[in-house]
Amino acid sequence: MTSWLASAQDSPFGLHNLPYGVFTAPDQPGRRRIGVAVGDFVLDAGAAARAAGEPSVLLDADSLGPLLAAGRPAWTAVRASLTAWLGDESYRAAISPCLLPRGEVELHLPFEVADYVDFYASEHHATNLGKIFRPGSEPLTPNWKHLPIGYHGRAGTVVVSGTPVVRPQGQRKAPSEALPSFGPSRRLDIEAEVGFVVGAGSELGKPVPLADFREHVFGVLLLNDWSARDIQAWEYVPLGPFLGKSFATSVSPWVVPLDALEAARVTPPTRDVEPLPYLDDREGEAWGLDIAMEVRLNGHPVSHPPFAAMYWTAAQQLAHMTANGASLRPGDLFASGTVSGPEVETRGALIELTWNGENPVKLPDGTTRTFLEDGDEVTITATAPGPDGTVIGFGEVTGRIVP
Amino acid sequence: MTSWLASAQDSPFGLHNLPYGVFTAPDQPGRRRIGVAVGDFVLDAGAAARAAGEPSVLLDADSLGPLLAAGRPAWTAVRASLTAWLGDESYRAAISPCLLPRGEVELHLPFEVADYVDFYASEHHATNLGKIFRPGSEPLTPNWKHLPIGYHGRAGTVVVSGTPVVRPQGQRKAPSEALPSFGPSRRLDIEAEVGFVVGAGSELGKPVPLADFREHVFGVLLLNDWSARDIQAWEYVPLGPFLGKSFATSVSPWVVPLDALEAARVTPPTRDVEPLPYLDDREGEAWGLDIAMEVRLNGHPVSHPPFAAMYWTAAQQLAHMTANGASLRPGDLFASGTVSGPEVETRGALIELTWNGENPVKLPDGTTRTFLEDGDEVTITATAPGPDGTVIGFGEVTGRIVP
C-alpha cells in the first residue's frame, strides 16, 4: 500500500513507519496532542480518528500513556487504522485537514518515563571501557557473557531531543590528584544508544519470558546517555554510575512501533558462552535489529555505530530484567547501552573514539575534540530497513552543551 | 497542646506526630482517601477538612501526590489545621465522626514513587560489606568519606508494608562454582533503612543546597530494601546492584512529617575527612536524627540499628544527588542505606548480623537463620524523641517471604 500523501513516498517516515510522538501546534501552544510522523507532516491522530468517524480515547490524549497501557491488540488495531487513513484514497478529504507541516510543531517527551534502565550490551564498548577504566584487569568482567549487565538510571531527567544540556558539576579526582575537587565536568561525553519503550505492564512476581517480548514492548527510539566520565570514574565503585549519568538523558521524540521493524530483524552475533535457558534465543524469535546509526558532532559525522553488532538483544534484556519477578509498568524505558562496533569509526562514545583523549577527533573547522566543549551540539540519527526496500527513519536526538 | 482524643495521649501517634497515609475503609473498599494516624484511629483527612468548614483539595485526594507537590507553606498550613482539629475541644463534635479505628482500615502505598535512590551512608555497614564482598581489599572504597555513595533503584517495585515478598530467582555463582546457575535466591536478606520523601520538585540544572533540605523533603518512613545477596554478588561488577534488589522494596504506610522530628535532631558523627563545601554541614543546620530502630524476625528482636550513627545525613544526600543539576520530582524517594551501628546487635542486615552466614542468628523456637527462609516474616519498627518527652512512632514495615 502507498499513501495518497505525496511526501510520504520514499520517505523514512513513510506508510511503513508511522512513529508516534506528542506535539503542540503553533496556534495552540498549551495543548499537547498525539502526533504521527508521515512524510513532511505530523498527523494529529486524535483529530484524524474523529474525522474518520472512529473517535479514540487512546489517540485523543496528551501523552502516549493510555496507548502504551492498552497493550498489543490495541497497538495493532490503531496501526491498522492509521495505515488505512493515510493509505486509502477514500480518506484523503477527511484526513488531509489533520496534517500539520512537521517543521512547525513543537515536539515533547512523548510519555512519562516510569523506570529507566540502561544496559551495557555491546561487547566492543564494554571491552573498550574495561581497558580504559580498569587497566591491567581483564576488560570484560566474569559475568559479562552470562547476563546482560544493567542498572537503573534517573527517569526524571530523561528529556526530549533539543533540550539544552547543562554541563554538570561534581566531584572529580584524577589519578594524579590526592583529593577530589568540585567543579564542572572536564570529561563530558555521549553514549549513542537505542531505547525500548514498554507498553503493557506485568505483575509483580511474574517474569516475562523471551517469547513475550512483543506483548510488552511498544516501540523504539534513539537515546543519548550523556556521561561525565570524570564524575563517573570517581563515584562508581562499588555501587555503579550515579551523578555521572543522572543529569540528563536525551531521547528522540518519535517512537518507532516495534511492528515497523520486522524487516530489520537479523540474527544476533554468535554467543561464545552458552546462555542459560531464560536467555537462550537460539530457538524461537531472536531480536537482533539492523539499525544503522550516525553520530554527528557540530554537524560533522564522527561515528557510525551498528546496532546489529550488539551481543545482547532487547528481548534478552527484558527477560533478564524481570527474571527476579520485578514488574513492568507502561512507560518503562530500557536502553541498549552504548552501541559500538569493532572498528574505531563505529564507536558510540567519545571516550572510545578518542581512546580516553589520546587520539582527539578532528573536526572540519580545524579544531579537535577529546571531550565535549560548551556550545557543542551532538546529533544521533538512525535508519533501518523497512519492507519492500523501504527505509524506516528514527529521526534524531540532539542536544547542545551549555555552561 | 493535648488532644481531646483519649487514645492520642501518650501515644507514639500523638498530636506531635500526625503522620500521613492512604487508606480504604472496609465499607468503601475501592475508595482511597488520605488518612492521618492519631491514637488508635485514622482521621479521614478530607472529610475532616469539610467537617471543619475548610475543604481542601490537597486532603480530599486518593494519594499524597498533590500535597507533596504543594510545597512547604502548604505542609505547614495543613499541619496547623490538623493540630487544631484534633487538639481544640471546640472541633470535637465535628471531627469525631471522621475517625475510623486504625485496625479496620486497609493501608496503601501513600504516593506514587517517582525516582528511588538508595544510599550507603552507614560507615559500619559499608565497612562490614566491604570486608565480606571484597576480602583482602580496603573495606571502604577511596571515595566513601568524600561523597555519599548512592545508586538508583527500581521505583515500580516499591510496595507497601504487608505485601508478600516472592523469593526472587536469578543467576547465582558461588566462588567454588565454575559457572552460574539459575534458580531461587539462597541468600535472601533484609536491609533496615530510613527513607525520605521528596515533596516539592526542583528545576533541571539547579542544585539544591544543604540549606534548602526542609523546602523539599516532606517526611520520613521506614524501608526494607530486600536483597538477594547471591544474585547481587554475581551481577554487581561493574555497574552496581540491579536484580539483587529490584524485586521488592517495602515501605511503612505512614509518612512522618519532617516537622515532627525537630526534637529528634542530633549532631552527626564527627567526619574524619574534610567535606567539600557543598556537603559541609558543620555550620548551619545538620540533619542527624535520633531514630531508634528495631528489626524483628518472626516476632523476635534480632537487631536495634541506631540511625543517629549514620555518617552521611539526608540533607547531604539531597545536596549530593542534585549537585550535578539533576532535578527532583514530587514523590522522589531516597533511602539511607542499611542502618548499622558499631556493635553486632545493631547491624541492619542478616549478612552482617551472621557475618556472611558464619554465625547464625538463634530464634526462640530453637531454629537458626543465616538468611531468610520461606514463611519468615521481618518487621522493622522505630521511634524518635518528640517534643516535651513525647515519642514519635513510625509504625512498622513488614513483609513475609513466599516461595
Side-chain angles (χ1 to χ4, degrees):
Chain A
M1 191 184 264
T2 55
S3 176
W4 46 260
L5 181 67
S7 72
Q9 315 302 335
D10 303 319
S11 165
F13 289 144
L15 204 57
H16 299 298
N17 190 351
L18 303 180
Y20 298 89
V22 169
F23 73 97
T24 42
D27 57 339
Q28 293 183 311
R31 187 157 172 262
R32 295 192 181 200
R33 314 271 307 138
I34 292 179
V36 173
V38 56
D40 298 334
F41 295 86
V42 171
L43 179 72
D44 180 332
R50 275 178 273 115
E54 307 170 36
S56 163
V57 290
L58 301 181
L59 295 178
D60 232 335
D62 59 2
S63 148
L64 296 183
L67 179 60
L68 293 179
R72 172 59 56 193
W75 307 339
T76 301
V78 165
R79 185 165 168 81
S81 294
L82 289 166
T83 305
W85 301 339
L86 291 163
D88 186 334
E89 180 66 31
S90 67
Y91 282 104
R92 180 198 286 253
I95 297 298
S96 289
C98 307
L99 292 167
L100 295 87
R102 206 160 71 244
E104 291 181 9
V105 305
E106 185 182 0
L107 295 168
H108 304 280
L109 193 64
F111 58 95
E112 189 183 354
V113 179
D115 271 300
Y116 165 48
V117 168
D118 195 26
F119 283 93
Y120 193 52
S122 159
E123 181 176 358
H124 308 289
H125 172 71
T127 302
N128 290 335
L129 258 66
K131 288 179 181 170
I132 291 168
F133 272 124
R134 294 178 297 279
S137 309
E138 275 293 317
L140 287 186
T141 51
N143 52 9
W144 201 92
K145 290 198 171 176
H146 293 279
L147 54 81
I149 290 177
Y151 66 101
H152 287 91
R154 192 162 187 82
T157 52
V158 175
V159 296
V160 74
S161 176
T163 306
V165 174
V166 178
R167 180 179 296 272
Q169 301 202 83
Q171 290 196 26
R172 318 134 314 168
K173 193 187 87 64
S176 59
E177 294 167 337
L179 288 172
S181 60
F182 185 86
S185 171
R186 295 175 287 223
R187 292 161 62 86
L188 187 54
D189 198 356
I190 61 157
E191 296 199 332
E193 306 196 12
V194 174
F196 292 81
V197 180
V198 172
S202 69
E203 197 184 330
L204 190 65
K206 306 270 192 219
V208 174
L210 279 177
D212 287 358
F213 177 69
R214 198 194 295 266
E215 301 307 310
H216 291 277
V217 170
F218 173 79
V220 182
L221 46 65
L222 304 178
L223 185 146
N224 187 345
D225 186 31
W226 306 93
S227 297
R229 300 298 180 193
D230 41 3
I231 296 172
Q232 181 186 357
W234 171 235
E235 76 177 355
Y236 91 107
V237 176
L239 299 186
F242 185 35
L243 298 184
K245 303 273 193 173
S246 65
F247 56 95
T249 304
S250 300
V251 295
S252 55
W254 297 112
V255 182
V256 173
L258 198 65
D259 286 342
L261 295 171
E262 275 301 320
R265 289 177 61 183
V266 291
T267 305
T270 304
R271 284 66 172 251
D272 39 13
V273 166
E274 179 87 358
L276 281 160
Y278 79 103
L279 294 173
D280 191 349
D281 62 357
R282 292 170 300 178
E283 316 253 320
E285 295 190 339
W287 277 93
L289 287 170
D290 181 19
I291 301 173
M293 304 168 74
E294 179 173 274
V295 180
R296 294 197 300 269
L297 175 50
N298 297 337
H300 175 66
V302 293
S303 179
H304 291 90
F307 191 70
M310 300 297 272
Y311 191 95
W312 296 106
T313 69
Q316 290 174 312
Q317 290 165 345
L318 191 74
H320 184 64
M321 186 161 59
T322 60
N324 67 348
S327 48
L328 301 172
R329 291 181 292 170
D332 281 349
L333 172 66
F334 63 103
S336 60
T338 307
V339 182
S340 290
E343 301 86 11
V344 173
E345 66 274 16
T346 63
R347 294 174 181 164
L350 286 173
I351 193 170
E352 294 170 80
L353 277 167
T354 69
W355 204 253
N356 206 21
E358 289 174 21
N359 307 314
V361 169
K362 292 181 184 61
L363 297 180
D365 66 2
T367 63
T368 61
R369 290 291 182 282
T370 49
F371 293 98
L372 296 173
E373 298 186 0
D374 291 345
D376 280 350
E377 185 174 68
V378 177
T379 302
I380 303 168
T381 60
T383 56
D388 309 318
T390 58
V391 170
I392 301 289
F394 286 78
E396 66 175 35
V397 54
T398 189
R400 185 182 295 274
I401 307 301
V402 299
Chain B
M1 190 182 265
T2 56
S3 177
W4 46 259
L5 182 67
S7 73
Q9 314 304 335
D10 303 319
S11 166
F13 288 144
L15 205 57
H16 299 298
N17 190 349
L18 303 180
Y20 298 90
V22 169
F23 73 97
T24 42
D27 58 339
Q28 293 182 312
R31 187 156 172 263
R32 296 195 179 197
R33 312 273 305 137
I34 292 180
V36 173
V38 56
D40 298 334
F41 296 86
V42 171
L43 180 71
D44 180 332
R50 274 179 274 114
E54 306 170 36
S56 163
V57 290
L58 302 180
L59 294 178
D60 233 336
D62 59 3
S63 147
L64 296 183
L67 179 59
L68 293 180
R72 172 58 58 192
W75 307 338
T76 302
V78 165
R79 185 166 169 79
S81 295
L82 289 166
T83 305
W85 302 339
L86 291 163
D88 186 335
E89 181 66 31
S90 68
Y91 283 105
R92 182 198 284 254
I95 297 298
S96 289
C98 308
L99 292 167
L100 295 88
R102 206 160 72 245
E104 292 181 8
V105 305
E106 185 182 0
L107 295 169
H108 304 279
L109 192 65
F111 58 96
E112 189 182 356
V113 179
D115 270 300
Y116 166 47
V117 168
D118 195 26
F119 283 93
Y120 193 52
S122 159
E123 180 176 359
H124 308 290
H125 172 71
T127 302
N128 290 334
L129 258 65
K131 288 179 181 170
I132 291 168
F133 273 124
R134 295 178 296 278
S137 309
E138 273 294 316
L140 288 186
T141 50
N143 52 8
W144 200 92
K145 291 197 171 178
H146 293 279
L147 55 81
I149 291 178
Y151 66 102
H152 285 91
R154 192 163 185 82
T157 53
V158 176
V159 296
V160 73
S161 176
T163 306
V165 174
V166 178
R167 180 180 295 274
Q169 301 201 84
Q171 292 195 27
R172 317 135 314 169
K173 193 187 87 63
S176 59
E177 294 167 338
L179 289 172
S181 61
F182 185 86
S185 171
R186 294 176 288 222
R187 291 162 62 86
L188 186 54
D189 199 355
I190 60 157
E191 296 199 332
E193 307 195 12
V194 173
F196 293 80
V197 179
V198 172
S202 68
E203 196 184 330
L204 189 65
K206 307 271 191 215
V208 175
L210 279 177
D212 286 359
F213 177 69
R214 200 194 294 267
E215 301 307 309
H216 291 277
V217 171
F218 172 80
V220 181
L221 45 67
L222 303 178
L223 185 145
N224 186 345
D225 186 34
W226 307 93
S227 297
R229 299 298 181 192
D230 41 3
I231 296 172
Q232 181 186 356
W234 171 235
E235 76 177 356
Y236 92 106
V237 176
L239 299 185
F242 184 34
L243 298 183
K245 303 274 194 171
S246 66
F247 56 95
T249 303
S250 299
V251 296
S252 56
W254 296 113
V255 183
V256 173
L258 197 66
D259 285 341
L261 295 171
E262 273 302 321
R265 289 177 61 182
V266 291
T267 304
T270 304
R271 286 64 173 254
D272 39 13
V273 167
E274 179 86 0
L276 281 161
Y278 80 103
L279 294 173
D280 192 349
D281 60 359
R282 291 171 301 178
E283 315 253 321
E285 298 189 336
W287 277 94
L289 287 171
D290 180 20
I291 301 173
M293 304 168 74
E294 178 173 274
V295 181
R296 293 198 300 270
L297 175 51
N298 298 336
H300 175 66
V302 294
S303 180
H304 291 91
F307 191 70
M310 300 298 271
Y311 191 95
W312 296 105
T313 70
Q316 290 173 313
Q317 290 164 347
L318 191 74
H320 184 64
M321 187 161 57
T322 60
N324 66 348
S327 48
L328 301 172
R329 290 181 294 170
D332 280 349
L333 172 65
F334 64 103
S336 59
T338 306
V339 182
S340 290
E343 302 86 11
V344 173
E345 64 274 15
T346 64
R347 294 174 182 163
L350 286 173
I351 192 169
E352 295 169 82
L353 277 167
T354 69
W355 204 255
N356 207 21
E358 288 174 20
N359 307 314
V361 169
K362 292 180 184 60
L363 298 181
D365 66 2
T367 63
T368 61
R369 290 291 182 282
T370 49
F371 292 97
L372 296 173
E373 298 186 1
D374 291 344
D376 280 351
E377 185 174 67
V378 177
T379 302
I380 303 167
T381 60
T383 57
D388 310 318
T390 57
V391 170
I392 301 289
F394 286 78
E396 65 176 36
V397 55
T398 189
R400 185 183 293 275
I401 307 301
V402 300

